[in-house]
């Protein structure tokens, strides 16, 4: 099992190709920026970047539901809390 590799943003800049190659091979890469912020380097596929026909159909269906008044509008934090409590 592969572990997680942590690196600094400076090391990442100096060895980008190596880190991209590791991520491509399934290695988990965490890039730390300072002491409080971190990022995960993850390969994306074409499916991650583009909407599929099924996704577009669902979006259009959802838009029609809004037009038809089949949606709930939550304007305040209290509205949101009440909605979650009602589930």
């Amino acid at each position: 099992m592969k572990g997680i590799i942590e690196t600094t943003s400076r090391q990442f800049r100096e060895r980008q190709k190596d880190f991209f190659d590791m991520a491509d091979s399934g290695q988990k890469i965490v890039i730390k920026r300072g002491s409080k912020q971190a990022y995960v380097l993850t390969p994306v596929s074409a499916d991650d970047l583009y909407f599929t026909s099924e996704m577009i159909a669902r979006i259009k269906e959802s838009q029609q539901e809004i037009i038809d008044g089949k949606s709930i509008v939550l304007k305040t934090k209290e509205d949101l809390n009440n909605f979650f409590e009602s589930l």
Side-chain angles (χ1 to χ4, degrees):
M1 184 165 118
K2 297 180 180 183
I4 297 173
I5 294 185
E6 290 187 7
T7 187
T8 64
S9 58
R10 181 179 182 170
Q11 289 171 330
F12 175 73
R13 283 191 308 272
E14 292 170 356
R15 297 182 48 212
Q16 283 185 32
K17 181 189 179 316
D18 295 331
F19 289 111
F20 284 128
D21 289 344
M22 286 185 268
D24 287 341
S25 69
Q27 189 71 49
K28 296 192 185 304
I29 310 293
V30 175
I31 304 162
K32 291 189 161 197
R33 184 178 186 196
S35 61
K36 295 184 180 182
Q37 193 68 0
Y39 303 86
V40 177
L41 182 61
T42 307
V44 294
S45 68
D47 290 339
D48 296 323
L49 299 175
Y50 301 100
F51 289 109
T52 64
S53 58
E54 293 84 10
M55 291 171 63
I56 292 170
R58 181 63 186 120
I59 290 169
K60 288 180 180 181
E61 181 182 324
S62 297
Q63 289 172 325
Q64 189 60 49
E65 288 175 359
I66 292 169
I67 291 168
D68 295 343
K70 297 178 183 176
S71 62
I72 299 171
V73 178
L74 306 171
K75 293 185 179 181
T76 66
K77 182 179 176 182
E78 184 178 78
D79 290 344
L80 181 63
N81 288 334
N82 290 337
F83 173 73
F84 282 125
E85 288 176 11
S86 72
L87 297 178

